[in-house]
Amino acid sequence: MSCTVTMTVNGKAVTREVEERTLLVHFLREHLALTGTHVGCDTSQCGACVVHVDGRSVKSCTMLAVQAEGASVTTIEGLAAADGTLHPMQAAFREHHGLQCGFCTPGMVMSAVDLVKDNPSPSESEVREGLEGNICRCTGYHNIVKAVLAGAEAMRSGEPAAAAAE
């Protein structure tokens, strides 16, 4: 059975006809072509699908698209400024080599932005705890943690991530 779903995605109102059982991650990827949100495990274990719904991190593989009716959804594509300037956390991941294959990166960045919103000055252990639901199979998390700390500093200061880390 299908239904109509309407929400704001990355600042734009969207309305689509979807099957009631469509997961938010599949809605974003298949109906809106926003493929930065990745499907990793389909069991909510890896965090590759994290997006923000009404300003909070959500694993989009655990939420139906119809549950986001009327919500504001931000994906990794929606973090950068309209002119292409990266969000400070995105820039920090790039500058501090917080990625390797990049598969987990969108979910890591989205989780990190939410973490820093709640805790603008996290410690290393708080970053590690805050990213617990995000799995990276390539790194030892060391550079990811460095990137989140630099991104937090940049978000606090309003400076680019590279300058904030110096």
Side-chain angles (χ1 to χ4, degrees):
M1 191 164 172
S2 65
C3 62
T4 302
V5 64
T6 300
M7 64 187 78
T8 302
V9 179
N10 298 334
K12 297 177 184 163
V14 296
T15 300
R16 298 288 190 282
E17 192 77 18
V18 298
E19 287 188 43
E20 291 177 342
R21 63 188 176 129
T22 302
L23 294 172
L24 181 57
V25 67
H26 296 301
F27 175 76
L28 295 168
R29 292 180 58 82
E30 297 166 14
H31 293 267
L32 302 181
L34 295 171
T35 57
T37 302
H38 294 154
V39 179
C41 64
D42 275 333
T43 61
S44 79
Q45 301 298 308
C46 73
C49 67
V50 173
V51 298
H52 294 169
V53 177
D54 291 332
R56 303 304 306 172
S57 290
V58 172
K59 290 182 178 180
S60 61
C61 76
T62 64
M63 183 176 192
L64 296 170
V66 296
Q67 291 176 292
E69 173 68 33
S72 176
V73 178
T74 304
T75 68
I76 192 71
E77 293 94 340
L79 278 187
D83 68 358
T85 303
L86 294 178
H87 181 281
M89 193 61 72
Q90 290 173 305
F93 268 71
R94 184 189 66 208
E95 294 294 322
H96 297 278
H97 310 288
L99 55 101
Q100 283 191 11
C101 82
F103 193 81
C104 70
T105 305
M108 289 279 188
V109 169
M110 298 303 285
S111 293
V113 168
D114 193 34
L115 167 72
V116 172
K117 183 177 72 175
D118 290 340
N119 182 358
S121 299
S123 67
E124 180 179 331
S125 64
E126 289 170 327
V127 169
R128 289 182 183 279
E129 184 178 326
L131 295 179
E132 247 178 20
N134 296 78
I135 297 172
C136 177
R137 289 174 170 84
C138 296
T139 72
Y141 296 92
H142 180 71
N143 286 344
I144 292 170
V145 173
K146 280 179 27 183
V148 173
L149 292 171
E153 174 63 28
M155 288 171 66
R156 282 192 311 274
S157 69
E159 295 178 31
E166 294 173 358

